[in-house]
Amino acid sequence: MTHSEAATKRSTRDGRYHHGDLRNALVRAAAELAESGGPEAVTVRAAARHVGVTPTAAYRHFTNHEELLNAAQGQAQQTLFGAMAEAMASLPQADAITRLGAVGRGYISFALREPGLFRTAFCGDLAPSPAFDLLASVLDELVDVGFLDPADRPDAEYAAWSTVHGMASLIIDGVLADLDDAARDKAIHRALAVVERGLATGPNAPDFS
């Protein structure tokens, strides 16, 4: 029995991952490392230590740091999507504009709750993002109900996304990091209100003047 196989059996006895599922265990470990340390903390050796195997065993699944980080990024994107979807699901009877606000708040809440994962979700080239697709579906709903003019629909995701992402980044890494809870909530509310007004170009949109 090789040293790596012995490590695998020890890990299985510990319950840290199941034999034959080392790749997924390493991805989960990478996500946990990202939670506390951001993308810089994600390395093959660190993930191997986390699950209790040798680096040699881990390198059979991820040949370098970039491959593991890409997998961790995908996991972080899925977690972000889950936070946004959960916020929207908490308002099952809400109209489309309220659902848009819920998606934005879910996004920012995720960044506040899991800053390491949030940074990891955007640490490299952005693969197809379920969170982005969720935003797109809500914007399509705004067109369907007449809140957003169809002529203004193309690329509206980027305007909404950049506002909310910028607010989240300013809160966790920038000039808004020291705000108290009340001031932070007010800033988030104002940012989401700006997005709402900017999208209100359809025939059924309220008059904000």
Side-chain angles (χ1 to χ4, degrees), residues 1 6 11 15 18 21 31 33 39 47 54 65 76-77 83 115-116 124 130 132 136 140 146 158 177 185 202:
M1 178 183 294
S11 295
H18 298 293
D21 196 27
L33 290 167
T54 64
H65 161 74
Q77 280 285 338
F132 188 85
D140 289 340
Y158 299 112
D185 288 346

Side-chain angles (χ1 to χ4, degrees), residues 6-173:
T8 295
K9 286 186 177 295
R10 285 196 300 274
S11 295
T12 302
R13 285 198 301 270
D14 292 341
R16 296 171 76 179
Y17 78 95
H18 298 293
H19 181 66
D21 196 27
L22 178 54
R23 187 184 191 283
N24 286 332
L26 291 168
V27 173
R28 289 192 297 272
E32 291 174 15
L33 290 167
E35 278 185 41
S36 56
E40 296 80 9
V42 180
T43 67
V44 176
R45 288 182 176 275
R49 274 197 308 272
H50 200 75
V51 299
V53 299
T54 64
T56 300
Y59 278 118
R60 291 175 184 154
H61 297 274
F62 296 100
T63 59
N64 54 46
H65 161 74
E66 288 76 16
E67 282 188 8
L68 180 58
L69 187 57
N70 286 340
Q73 182 187 24
Q75 184 77 15
Q77 280 285 338
Q78 285 293 336
T79 308
L80 170 60
F81 166 77
M84 295 166 66
E86 182 179 356
M88 197 166 67
S90 69
L91 303 168
Q93 305 302 319
D95 59 23
I97 192 62
T98 303
R99 286 156 61 83
L100 177 70
V103 164
R105 287 191 175 277
Y107 188 100
I108 295 173
S109 294
F110 171 77
L112 294 175
R113 186 171 63 248
E114 304 285 3
L117 274 184
F118 178 75
R119 296 183 188 104
T120 303
F122 301 98
C123 64
D125 295 335
L126 188 60
S129 166
F132 188 85
D133 292 341
L134 179 60
L135 171 60
S137 70
V138 176
L139 292 174
D140 289 340
E141 290 180 34
L142 294 181
V143 173
D144 292 341
V145 299
F147 187 93
L148 173 62
D149 191 307
D152 295 321
R153 173 63 185 87
D155 296 332
E157 292 94 339
Y158 299 112
W161 189 291
S162 60
T163 300
V164 175
H165 184 84
M167 176 58 65
S169 297
L170 286 172
I171 291 173
I172 65 172
D173 290 323

